[in-house]
Amino acid sequence: EAGVTQFPSHSVIEKGQTVTLRCDPISGHDNLYWYRRVMGKEIKFLLHFVKESKQDESGMPNNRFLAERTGGTYSTLKVQPAELEDSGVYFCASSQDQTHGYTFGSGTRLTVV
Amino acid sequence: AQKVTQAQTEISVVEKEDVTLDCVYETRDTTYYLFWYKQPPSGELVFLIRRNSFDEQNEISGRYSWNFQKSTSSFNFTITASQVVDSAVYFCALSEALGSGTYKYIFGTGTRLKVLA
Protein backbone atom coordinates (compact mmCIF):
# COMPACT_ATOMS: atom_id res chain seq x y z
CA GLU A 1 0.00 0.00 0.00
CA ALA A 2 1.15 3.53 -0.66
CA GLY A 3 2.33 5.46 2.36
CA VAL A 4 1.43 8.96 3.47
CA THR A 5 2.36 11.40 0.73
CA GLN A 6 3.16 15.04 1.28
CA PHE A 7 3.60 17.73 -1.34
CA PRO A 8 5.72 19.72 -1.86
CA SER A 9 8.78 18.28 -0.18
CA HIS A 10 10.34 21.73 0.05
CA SER A 11 8.95 25.23 -0.24
CA VAL A 12 10.73 28.56 0.01
CA ILE A 13 8.49 31.60 0.13
CA GLU A 14 8.79 35.20 1.10
CA LYS A 15 7.30 36.63 4.23
CA GLY A 16 3.72 37.67 3.57
CA GLN A 17 3.09 35.13 0.85
CA THR A 18 0.67 32.22 1.01
CA VAL A 19 1.64 28.57 0.93
CA THR A 20 -0.52 25.48 0.80
CA LEU A 21 0.77 22.12 1.91
CA ARG A 22 -0.96 18.93 0.88
CA CYS A 23 -1.18 15.52 2.53
CA ASP A 24 -2.57 12.33 1.05
CA PRO A 25 -3.10 9.78 3.81
CA ILE A 26 -3.09 6.04 3.43
CA SER A 27 -6.29 5.00 1.72
CA GLY A 28 -8.94 4.05 4.24
CA HIS A 29 -7.34 5.87 7.15
CA ASP A 30 -9.98 8.04 8.76
CA ASN A 31 -7.55 9.73 11.14
CA LEU A 32 -5.25 12.40 9.77
CA TYR A 33 -2.87 14.52 11.80
CA TRP A 34 -0.65 17.52 11.19
CA TYR A 35 2.50 18.12 13.21
CA ARG A 36 5.28 20.67 12.92
CA ARG A 37 8.91 20.75 13.92
CA VAL A 38 10.48 24.15 14.25
CA MET A 39 14.28 24.06 13.93
CA GLY A 40 15.89 22.09 16.75
CA LYS A 41 12.75 21.81 18.78
CA GLU A 42 10.28 19.04 19.42
CA ILE A 43 7.69 17.89 16.93
CA LYS A 44 4.42 19.51 17.98
CA PHE A 45 0.85 18.52 17.33
CA LEU A 46 -1.20 20.92 15.24
CA LEU A 47 -4.52 19.21 14.63
CA HIS A 48 -6.43 15.99 14.08
CA PHE A 49 -9.11 15.12 11.53
CA VAL A 50 -11.50 12.22 11.69
CA LYS A 51 -12.70 11.92 8.13
CA GLU A 52 -13.60 15.48 7.17
CA SER A 53 -14.21 16.73 10.71
CA LYS A 54 -11.66 18.57 12.81
CA GLN A 55 -11.52 16.57 16.01
CA ASP A 56 -8.95 18.69 17.77
CA GLU A 57 -7.12 21.78 16.55
CA SER A 58 -5.69 22.89 19.88
CA GLY A 59 -2.16 22.95 18.47
CA MET A 60 -2.80 25.40 15.66
CA PRO A 61 -0.57 28.39 16.43
CA ASN A 62 -2.84 31.17 15.20
CA ASN A 63 -5.50 32.08 12.67
CA ARG A 64 -2.97 32.38 9.86
CA PHE A 65 -3.13 28.59 9.65
CA LEU A 66 -6.12 26.91 8.00
CA ALA A 67 -6.48 23.17 7.59
CA GLU A 68 -9.11 21.45 5.52
CA ARG A 69 -10.01 17.91 4.59
CA THR A 70 -12.87 18.14 2.19
CA GLY A 71 -14.43 14.78 1.44
CA GLY A 72 -12.38 13.11 4.12
CA THR A 73 -9.55 12.17 1.78
CA TYR A 74 -6.54 14.43 1.33
CA SER A 75 -5.88 17.42 3.55
CA THR A 76 -4.42 20.84 2.95
CA LEU A 77 -2.72 23.19 5.39
CA LYS A 78 -2.63 26.79 4.27
CA VAL A 79 -0.45 29.45 5.85
CA GLN A 80 -1.55 32.98 5.00
CA PRO A 81 0.29 35.27 5.33
CA ALA A 82 3.48 33.38 6.15
CA GLU A 83 5.83 34.74 8.80
CA LEU A 84 9.49 33.93 9.44
CA GLU A 85 8.65 31.87 12.53
CA ASP A 86 6.51 29.53 10.43
CA SER A 87 9.66 27.98 8.99
CA GLY A 88 10.04 24.33 9.88
CA VAL A 89 9.11 20.84 8.79
CA TYR A 90 5.43 20.05 8.58
CA PHE A 91 4.56 16.40 9.01
CA CYS A 92 1.34 14.69 8.18
CA ALA A 93 0.36 11.31 9.59
CA SER A 94 -2.57 8.99 9.28
CA SER A 95 -3.88 6.02 11.21
CA GLN A 96 -6.61 3.47 10.79
CA ASP A 97 -7.77 3.80 14.37
CA GLN A 98 -6.44 4.74 17.75
CA THR A 99 -5.08 1.30 18.56
CA HIS A 100 -2.48 1.59 15.83
CA GLY A 101 0.49 3.85 15.60
CA TYR A 102 0.65 6.57 13.04
CA THR A 103 2.28 6.37 9.66
CA PHE A 104 4.07 9.61 8.96
CA GLY A 105 4.82 11.24 5.66
CA SER A 106 8.23 12.55 4.69
CA GLY A 107 7.31 16.06 5.66
CA THR A 108 7.32 19.41 3.89
CA ARG A 109 10.24 21.66 4.71
CA LEU A 110 8.95 25.22 4.68
CA THR A 111 11.36 28.12 4.65
CA VAL A 112 10.03 31.64 4.96
CA VAL A 113 12.55 34.31 4.01
CA ALA B 1 1.58 18.26 32.07
CA GLN B 2 2.63 15.65 29.57
CA LYS B 3 6.27 15.93 28.68
CA VAL B 4 9.02 13.92 27.03
CA THR B 5 12.66 14.68 27.73
CA GLN B 6 15.51 13.50 25.57
CA ALA B 7 18.45 15.02 27.35
CA GLN B 8 21.03 13.86 24.81
CA THR B 9 21.05 16.32 21.94
CA GLU B 10 23.73 14.57 19.93
CA ILE B 11 25.73 11.38 20.36
CA SER B 12 28.68 10.23 18.28
CA VAL B 13 29.93 6.66 18.39
CA VAL B 14 32.28 4.56 16.35
CA GLU B 15 30.81 1.76 14.30
CA LYS B 16 30.19 -1.46 16.26
CA GLU B 17 29.87 0.34 19.56
CA ASP B 18 26.68 -0.03 21.58
CA VAL B 19 24.72 3.14 22.24
CA THR B 20 21.76 3.94 24.48
CA LEU B 21 19.37 6.79 23.81
CA ASP B 22 17.57 8.04 26.89
CA CYS B 23 13.93 9.03 27.15
CA VAL B 24 12.15 10.22 30.28
CA TYR B 25 8.48 11.09 30.30
CA GLU B 26 5.83 12.69 32.49
CA THR B 27 2.15 11.90 32.21
CA ARG B 28 -1.01 12.13 34.22
CA ASP B 29 -2.72 9.41 32.18
CA THR B 30 -2.95 5.93 33.68
CA THR B 31 -3.02 4.33 30.26
CA TYR B 32 -0.64 5.59 27.64
CA TYR B 33 1.62 4.54 24.82
CA LEU B 34 5.28 5.21 24.26
CA PHE B 35 6.95 5.27 20.87
CA TRP B 36 10.30 5.59 19.21
CA TYR B 37 10.65 6.99 15.71
CA LYS B 38 13.72 7.28 13.51
CA GLN B 39 14.26 10.20 11.16
CA PRO B 40 16.97 9.34 8.63
CA PRO B 41 18.55 12.03 6.43
CA SER B 42 15.76 11.51 3.87
CA GLY B 43 13.40 13.16 6.34
CA GLU B 44 10.55 10.75 6.93
CA LEU B 45 9.64 9.54 10.40
CA VAL B 46 10.00 5.79 10.59
CA PHE B 47 8.07 3.94 13.27
CA LEU B 48 10.27 1.70 15.42
CA ILE B 49 8.22 0.59 18.39
CA ARG B 50 5.02 1.18 20.35
CA ARG B 51 4.74 0.16 23.98
CA ASN B 52 1.59 0.05 26.12
CA SER B 53 1.94 1.39 29.66
CA PHE B 54 0.75 -1.92 31.09
CA ASP B 55 3.44 -3.89 29.35
CA GLU B 56 6.80 -3.43 31.02
CA GLN B 57 8.49 -6.28 29.27
CA ASN B 58 11.65 -5.29 27.54
CA GLU B 59 11.71 -5.87 23.82
CA ILE B 60 14.44 -6.87 21.44
CA SER B 61 14.29 -6.61 17.68
CA GLY B 62 17.52 -7.51 16.00
CA ARG B 63 20.14 -5.00 17.10
CA TYR B 64 17.51 -2.80 18.75
CA SER B 65 16.27 -3.19 22.29
CA TRP B 66 14.04 -1.12 24.51
CA ASN B 67 13.99 -0.86 28.30
CA PHE B 68 10.71 0.40 29.75
CA GLN B 69 10.93 1.27 33.45
CA LYS B 70 7.65 2.62 34.77
CA SER B 71 9.15 3.27 38.21
CA THR B 72 11.56 5.81 36.73
CA SER B 73 9.30 6.90 33.85
CA SER B 74 11.93 5.97 31.32
CA PHE B 75 11.84 4.26 27.97
CA ASN B 76 15.41 3.90 26.78
CA PHE B 77 16.53 2.61 23.42
CA THR B 78 19.74 0.68 22.85
CA ILE B 79 21.38 -0.07 19.54
CA THR B 80 23.87 -2.91 19.75
CA ALA B 81 26.84 -3.02 17.37
CA SER B 82 25.90 0.26 15.75
CA GLN B 83 26.26 0.75 12.01
CA VAL B 84 26.67 3.84 9.86
CA VAL B 85 23.12 3.36 8.56
CA ASP B 86 21.87 3.92 12.11
CA SER B 87 22.87 7.57 11.82
CA ALA B 88 19.66 9.55 12.19
CA VAL B 89 17.63 11.62 14.60
CA TYR B 90 15.66 9.49 17.02
CA PHE B 91 12.47 10.74 18.63
CA CYS B 92 10.74 9.38 21.68
CA ALA B 93 7.02 10.11 21.94
CA LEU B 94 4.20 9.75 24.45
CA SER B 95 0.51 9.53 23.69
CA GLU B 96 -1.80 12.04 25.31
CA ALA B 97 -5.51 11.35 25.44
CA LEU B 98 -7.60 13.96 23.65
CA GLY B 99 -10.90 12.44 24.66
CA SER B 100 -13.31 10.29 22.69
CA GLY B 101 -10.63 7.61 22.54
CA THR B 102 -8.29 9.69 20.44
CA TYR B 103 -4.66 10.57 21.09
CA LYS B 104 -2.04 13.01 20.07
CA TYR B 105 1.68 12.46 20.42
CA ILE B 106 4.00 14.45 22.65
CA PHE B 107 7.49 14.28 21.17
CA GLY B 108 10.87 14.85 22.70
CA THR B 109 13.35 17.15 21.01
CA GLY B 110 15.17 14.22 19.45
CA THR B 111 18.66 12.80 19.75
CA ARG B 112 20.95 13.01 16.74
CA LEU B 113 23.04 9.86 16.49
CA LYS B 114 26.16 9.89 14.38
CA VAL B 115 27.84 6.56 13.77
CA LEU B 116 31.34 6.98 12.42
CA ALA B 117 32.98 4.38 10.23
Side-chain angles (χ1 to χ4, degrees), chain A residues 57-68:
Chain A
E57 52 183 331
S58 59
M60 295 287 264
N62 52 60
N63 59 11
R64 295 185 293 102
F65 289 76
L66 175 64
E68 295 180 321

Side-chain angles (χ1 to χ4, degrees), chain B residues 15 18 33 60 65 80:
Chain B
E15 206 170 20
D18 298 346
Y33 296 94
I60 298 174
S65 61
T80 303

Side-chain angles (χ1 to χ4, degrees), chain A residues 60-106:
Chain A
M60 295 287 264
N62 52 60
N63 59 11
R64 295 185 293 102
F65 289 76
L66 175 64
E68 295 180 321
R69 193 183 181 195
T70 307
T73 54
Y74 71 89
S75 175
T76 57
L77 179 64
K78 181 191 287 188
V79 185
Q80 179 183 31
E83 298 289 345
L84 298 178
E85 64 264 24
D86 300 331
S87 296
V89 180
Y90 290 76
F91 289 101
C92 176
S94 71
S95 69
Q96 186 174 358
D97 54 49
Q98 290 303 316
T99 62
H100 294 81
Y102 298 176
T103 300
F104 279 90
S106 300

Side-chain angles (χ1 to χ4, degrees), chain A residues 7-26:
Chain A
F7 181 83
S9 56
H10 293 86
S11 180
V12 181
I13 61 171
E14 293 184 352
K15 177 182 170 181
Q17 288 187 323
T18 297
V19 63
T20 300
L21 314 180
R22 172 169 169 148
C23 170
D24 286 73
I26 291 173

Side-chain angles (χ1 to χ4, degrees), chain B residues 45-117:
Chain B
L45 287 170
V46 178
F47 170 81
L48 295 178
I49 189 171
R50 169 177 171 266
R51 172 63 72 210
N52 184 304
S53 55
F54 292 113
D55 182 3
E56 285 195 70
Q57 273 193 327
N58 291 330
E59 181 155 340
I60 298 174
S61 177
R63 296 184 297 106
Y64 295 171
S65 61
W66 290 270
N67 184 354
F68 178 27
Q69 298 268 351
K70 212 167 177 179
S71 59
T72 57
S73 297
S74 65
F75 186 44
N76 297 337
F77 172 32
T78 298
I79 301 174
T80 303
S82 60
Q83 300 175 1
V84 173
V85 293
D86 296 328
S87 298
V89 180
Y90 291 85
F91 291 94
C92 180
L94 164 72
S95 67
E96 176 179 328
L98 293 173
S100 303
T102 61
Y103 296 90
K104 67 179 182 184
Y105 289 9
I106 307 297
F107 283 88
T109 50
T111 297
R112 180 177 297 278
L113 174 65
K114 292 184 178 179
V115 182
L116 308 172

